[in-house]
C-alpha cells in the first residue's frame, strides 16, 4: 500500500519527540551525559531528515510541501487549497521547516556549550570563549522559541484532528492510505543516518581537548 508518510519520516518524528523530551528532562534532572547523547540523536535525526527532504519519498520532500508565501497567505485566509492534496498543508509545510531549523540550531549550539563546572560539549574548546558564551546563551533562548513552536505545533495538530475532523495523527502513526507513488526504501535513510552519526563521532574524536597547565 502506498503511504503519505514513509516509515522513515514516521520513525524520525516519534524518535524526535522522545529525544527532545529526554533532552529536557535530563537537563532538569542534571543528567548531562544523557542530555548529551539524546542531543546527538536529535542532531543525527534532523540532519538525516533534511537530506531526506531532497531524496526521500514524494511527500517527505521539501519540493512537495514548501509552498510560496502567496499560497500560504491564501490558505490562512481560508481559501481552500487543492482539496485532494496529500501531505503537509501550505502552512504546515513552513512550520516543518521552522521546527527542523530550530532543532538543528538547538542541538548544534549544545555541542559548544558548557555548564562551566563538570561538563563541556565536545566542541567547547574548539572556539574562543566569546563564541562559546554566545552559543551557550543561544542554546538557552532557542529552547524557549523551540518550546513555543512545539506547543503551537501540537495545538495546530489537535485543532485539525478534533475541530476540523481531519485525521493527521493516524497517518503519522501508520502511514496513511492515500494512493501516491511508492516510498523510498528505509535502508537508504538508515544508511544516511549511520554515515552522519559516524561523521559526528569522528568530528568529536578530533575535536580540540582542553589545555592542561601544570
Ligand atoms: C517534541 C515534540 C514534537 C516535535 C519536535 C515535532 C516535530 C514535528 C516535525 C519536524 C514534523 C514534520 C514531519 C516531517 O515531515 O518530517 C511533525 C509533523 C507532525 N507532527 Fe509533530 N512534533 C512533536 C510532537 C508531536 C505530537 C505530541 C503530536 C501528536 C499530537 C504530533 C503530531 C504530528 C503530526 C500529525 C504531524 C504531521 C502534520 C501534517 O500532517 O502536516 N507531533 N512534527
Ligand atoms: C535538541 C537538543 C537539545 C535540547 C532540546 C537541549 C536543551 C537544553 C536546555 C533547555 C538547557 C538549559 C539551558 C539553560 O537554561 O542554561 C541546556 C543546557 C545545556 N545543554 Fe542542551 N539541549 C540539546 C542538545 C545539547 C547537546 C547536543 C549538547 C552537547 C553535547 C548539549 C549540552 C548542553 C550543556 C553543556 C548545557 C549547560 C548545562 C548547564 O548549564 O548546567 N545540549 N540544553
Amino acid at each position: 500500500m502506498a503511504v503519505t508518510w514513509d516509515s522513515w519520516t514516521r520513525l524520525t518524528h516519534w524518535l524526535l519527540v522522545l529525544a527532545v523530551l529526554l533532552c529536557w528532562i535530563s537537563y532538569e534532572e542534571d543528567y548531562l551525559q544523557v542530555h548529551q547523547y539524546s542531543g546527538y540523536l536529535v542532531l543525527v535525526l534532523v540532519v538525516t531528515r533534511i537530506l531526506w527532504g531532497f531524496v526521500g519519498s514524494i511527500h517527505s520532500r521539501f519540493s512537495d510541501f514548501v509552498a510560496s508565501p502567496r499560497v500560504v497567505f491564501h490558505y490562512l485566509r481560508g481559501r481552500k487549497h487543492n482539496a485532494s492534496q496529500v501531505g503537509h498543508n501550505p502552512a504546515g509545510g513552513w512550520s516543518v521547516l521552522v521546527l527542523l531549523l530550530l532543532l538543528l540550531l538547538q542541538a548544534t549550539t549544545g555541542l559548544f556549550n558548557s555548564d562551566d563546572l563538570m561538563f563541556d560539549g565536545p566542541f567547547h574548546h574548539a572556539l574562543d570563549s566569546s563564541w562559546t558564551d554566545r552559543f551557550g546563551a543561544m542554546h538557552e533562548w532557542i529552547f524557549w522559541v523551540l518550546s513555543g513552536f512545539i506547543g503551537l505545533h501540537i495545538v495546530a495538530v489537535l485543532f485539525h484532528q478534533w475541530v476540523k475532523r481531519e485525521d493527521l495523527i493516524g497517518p503519522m502513526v501508520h502511514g496513511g492510505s492515500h494512493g501516491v507513488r511508492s516510498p523510498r526504501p528505509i535502508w537508504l535513510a538508515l544508511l544516511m543516518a549511520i554515515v552522519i552519526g559516524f561523521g559526528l563521532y569522528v568530528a568529536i574524536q578530533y575535536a580540540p581537548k582542553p589545555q592542561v597547565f601544570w
Side-chain angles (χ1 to χ4, degrees):
M1 182 177 70
V3 295
T4 306
W5 307 119
D6 58 49
S7 37
W8 183 259
T9 303
R10 284 178 278 142
L11 186 67
T12 298
H13 181 266
W14 298 115
L15 282 178
L16 268 181
V17 174
L18 285 180
V20 170
L21 268 178
L22 204 57
C23 279
W24 175 53
I25 295 170
S26 57
Y27 169 73
E28 295 294 336
E29 297 298 323
D30 213 10
Y31 291 126
L32 282 183
Q33 298 289 339
V34 177
H35 187 79
Q36 172 183 19
Y37 287 105
S38 43
Y40 293 163
L41 180 60
V42 171
L43 190 60
V44 171
L45 287 171
V46 168
V47 175
T48 311
R49 174 63 186 95
I50 291 172
L51 293 179
W52 201 237
F54 296 99
V55 301
S57 313
I58 297 299
H59 295 303
S60 297
R61 292 195 193 177
F62 298 125
S63 58
D64 186 72
F65 63 76
V66 181
S68 72
R70 194 176 52 85
V71 173
V72 178
F73 180 71
H74 283 304
Y75 174 77
L76 291 177
R77 289 194 56 196
R79 307 246 179 94
K80 256 217 153 354
H81 69 297
N82 180 1
S84 65
Q85 181 173 340
V86 182
H88 296 298
N89 68 45
W94 278 94
S95 75
V96 171
L97 279 190
V98 172
L99 275 171
L100 290 176
L101 187 71
L102 287 171
L103 288 166
L104 183 67
L105 282 173
Q106 180 74 36
T108 1
T109 49
L111 301 176
F112 297 89
N113 204 0
S114 164
D115 67 354
D116 294 325
L117 203 66
M118 302 287 286
F119 182 84
D120 293 335
F123 301 146
H124 183 67
H125 300 280
L127 294 177
D128 197 63
S129 67
S130 63
W131 280 103
T132 52
D133 286 352
R134 248 173 247 166
F135 285 138
M138 280 174 77
H139 197 68
E140 193 176 338
W141 67 257
I142 289 172
F143 183 68
W144 294 108
V145 183
L146 176 65
S147 306
F149 268 94
I150 290 175
L152 257 179
H153 166 64
I154 295 174
V155 169
V157 167
L158 294 181
F159 175 76
H160 279 269
Q161 191 78 23
W162 290 336
V163 181
K164 294 181 95 182
R165 304 215 166 267
E166 294 167 14
D167 182 23
L168 297 189
I169 300 177
M172 205 29 108
V173 175
H174 53 64
S177 56
H178 286 283
V180 278
R181 280 168 266 173
S182 58
R184 289 278 187 277
I186 191 169
W187 64 259
L188 178 63
L190 203 58
L191 186 70
M192 280 164 31
I194 291 172
V195 171
I196 292 161
F198 184 68
L200 179 65
Y201 171 79
V202 173
I204 290 172
Q205 297 310 307
Y206 285 98
K209 305 285 177 282
Q211 289 176 1
V212 184
F213 299 104
W214 298 103

